Amino acid sequence: MNLREFFIEDRLEKFRTEAPCNLGESGIRNLDLDALAEYLDLDLRELGKLSLADSPNSGRKDLREEISKLYHNVSPDQVLVTTGTGEALFIAFHLFLQNGDLTSLFWPAFQALYEVPRSLGANLQKVNLLPRLENEELGFGKENLNKLFQNSPKLIVFNHPHNPTGIIAEEEDKKEVQRLSANFPNWILFDEHYRFLSEEEDLGWSGFGICENSISTGSITKCFGVMGLRIGWLIGPRDWIQKARSMKDYLTHTVSPISEFLTLKLLQNRKTLQSKIQETLKRNIRTFAHAARENKLPGIISFKEPRGGVVGFAKLQPSLESRKFADLLYEKAGVFVLPSADFETEGYIRLGFGETEERFRLGLARWSNLGSDEIALLNK
């Protein structure tokens, strides 16, 4: 099968750079280099001494050492530095899956998590999280976790904190995953892009190591407002990481030494910036949740605050079609959001809360001024 168009990225490419209030992105509003250097107490003249030769194919050793510290009992030779998590996922899916294999994942999902498996001929087992979201229940739930493991899938994709719902693995979820994985014969991929922005202290839980056949993907780009660095990573057993590195040689081969250098400095000094970002993120989420509860945001009927990550799913009035509503919101209020139709489901919009507080509040103010007559024009 062919890869279809990337619905989410198509809309992002169209609106993200021009939107007065960007709630469509799934990351923190991007920093400029001067601001990053100030946060990290970094002298940018150090860049002048940096060699522009290729980095090692696996990633520079000191960066892999720093990434390994984010996990329990992981050594640098279990780390592969990649061009974002997109490359990491692409490599993993191609190594694990063949035509007819079953892939199990939470639904709705970020398109890269199922489109690449689908293009390889894999069958998808979708575990729907929306009823749990609408009932405002915490965590993924025992029933959903058991569904994830049903029918012995060749690969389980465990995305947490979850995009787009913001659900995180609660303590009971972790215990249930451990129980279920004990006798699971195949592989589990823990996609953990938002570990730096979870309600848990410092770093969110990682599922890597919960069983022998587990791998993890991660990145700093969305959580720290440095999307342009394009740095991600794969964590896995040593032998498997060597296979992944060999496949990476056919793709990007190496990543930019400048990106690696800045990522290393960020990880070594992340906590101050991480704390500041978490505070802003929490305020934006609380502001939106309060406005939604007070019925000040036309079109929205319910919203459950995300427990981790940067994004959340807000439920629309039953009469509204998500793409038309997203278009109206941009045209009339300058607020860019993603329609749930881009997640191949209907009745919601995905919101990113990484915008600056000022732009966020001004955007919500313009949204609140939308008239009921304008909303009524969108009725199906």
Side-chain angles (χ1 to χ4, degrees):
M1 296 184 189
N2 294 324
L3 284 167
R4 297 175 297 169
E5 70 218 51
F6 209 139
F7 314 121
I8 294 169
E9 291 299 330
D10 284 350
R11 186 171 283 259
L12 282 168
E13 190 69 11
K14 185 176 180 181
F15 294 116
R16 64 182 169 188
T17 58
E18 305 296 331
C21 179
N22 184 352
L23 307 187
E25 295 269 18
S26 57
I28 300 300
R29 185 169 186 84
N30 291 294
L31 300 170
D32 59 36
L33 189 53
D34 277 340
L36 180 64
E38 185 177 344
Y39 284 126
L40 303 182
D41 194 24
L42 172 65
D43 186 345
L44 289 177
R45 286 176 295 185
E46 291 185 53
L47 286 171
K49 302 173 185 176
L50 190 65
S51 170
L52 295 182
D54 268 347
S55 294
N57 294 15
S58 296
R60 56 186 281 177
K61 185 177 180 182
D62 51 1
L63 177 56
R64 288 186 288 114
E65 288 173 346
E66 200 64 36
I67 292 169
S68 72
K69 295 175 186 176
L70 303 172
Y71 300 85
H72 183 62
N73 287 335
V74 167
S75 61
D77 57 0
Q78 292 179 263
V79 179
L80 176 66
V81 178
T82 60
T83 303
T85 52
E87 183 180 48
L89 292 166
F90 192 87
I91 290 170
F93 291 140
H94 277 77
L95 289 178
F96 284 134
L97 296 173
Q98 297 179 359
N99 186 49
D101 285 341
L102 183 64
T103 301
S104 187
L105 76 166
F106 294 125
W107 193 262
F110 183 64
Q111 193 173 348
L113 294 180
Y114 65 89
E115 187 62 26
V116 178
R118 192 198 69 85
S119 75
L120 294 171
N123 299 312
L124 301 178
Q125 179 169 267
K126 303 173 183 176
V127 179
N128 187 7
L129 296 178
L130 293 181
R132 196 162 184 87
L133 185 70
E134 291 182 14
N135 293 330
E136 299 195 0
E137 296 175 279
L138 292 178
F140 295 100
K142 184 175 182 178
E143 181 180 356
N144 286 332
L145 292 172
N146 277 268
K147 287 179 181 177
L148 203 63
F149 282 79
Q150 278 180 358
N151 302 314
S152 295
K154 181 70 175 292
L155 178 66
I156 289 174
V157 179
F158 196 109
N159 169 225
H160 74 102
H162 183 254
N163 177 6
T165 66
I167 292 173
I168 66 171
E170 304 290 343
E171 288 304 316
E172 289 304 311
D173 293 330
K174 298 171 192 175
K175 293 176 184 176
E176 188 65 11
V177 172
Q178 189 161 21
R179 185 187 71 80
L180 291 166
S181 63
N183 297 311
F184 184 64
N186 297 321
W187 287 84
I188 307 175
L189 188 164
F190 291 93
D191 178 43
E192 302 170 335
H193 203 118
Y194 292 127
R195 273 190 76 208
F196 297 102
L197 297 176
S198 179
E199 280 200 357
E200 298 167 272
E201 186 177 350
D202 186 28
L203 283 172
W205 173 72
S206 174
F208 178 73
I210 202 165
C211 61
E212 288 186 4
N213 293 343
S214 62
I215 68 167
S216 174
T217 60
S219 177
I220 43 89
T221 59
K222 291 184 179 181
C223 290
F224 289 97
V226 290
M227 288 290 291
L229 294 186
R230 304 308 308 158
I231 292 284
W233 54 81
L234 267 170
I235 310 293
R238 290 174 184 82
D239 291 347
W240 188 88
I241 285 293
Q242 285 302 310
K243 293 177 183 177
R245 198 230 72 203
S246 181
M247 184 173 181
K248 179 173 174 264
D249 290 345
Y250 285 101
L251 300 171
T252 59
H253 190 58
T254 65
V255 299
S256 163
I258 297 173
S259 291
E260 284 197 321
F261 171 80
L262 291 171
T263 300
L264 175 63
K265 295 297 183 182
L266 194 157
L267 286 174
Q268 288 172 335
N269 302 279
R270 67 181 167 84
K271 292 195 176 181
T272 299
L273 179 55
Q274 187 176 336
S275 176
K276 177 179 172 59
I277 288 170
Q278 286 173 326
E279 289 172 6
T280 300
L281 190 61
K282 287 176 182 177
R283 284 195 291 268
N284 282 348
I285 291 171
R286 284 195 296 264
T287 297
F288 185 89
H290 176 75
R293 282 194 301 270
E294 298 295 316
N295 297 316
K296 293 181 179 178
L297 299 174
I300 302 298
I301 59 169
S302 68
F303 172 71
K304 183 180 185 297
E305 295 183 31
R307 297 259 288 152
V310 180
V311 298
F313 235 28
K315 188 170 178 60
L316 295 174
Q317 294 174 5
S319 61
L320 298 179
E321 192 270 318
S322 63
R323 282 201 175 107
K324 290 182 180 178
F325 181 77
D327 290 343
L328 176 89
L329 203 54
Y330 184 81
E331 291 165 8
K332 300 294 185 181
V335 176
F336 170 43
V337 300
L338 281 182
S340 61
D342 286 349
F343 291 84
E344 302 193 69
T345 190
E346 195 48 82
Y348 296 81
I349 54 172
R350 193 196 73 177
L351 301 138
F353 297 97
E355 184 60 279
T356 66
E357 286 186 79
E358 180 182 9
R359 290 164 62 100
F360 189 84
R361 290 179 182 274
L362 288 173
L364 292 197
R366 293 191 299 271
W367 184 343
S368 68
N369 287 329
L370 286 177
S372 57
D373 53 338
E374 291 173 304
I375 300 295
L377 291 175
L378 298 179
N379 286 342
K380 296 177 182 177

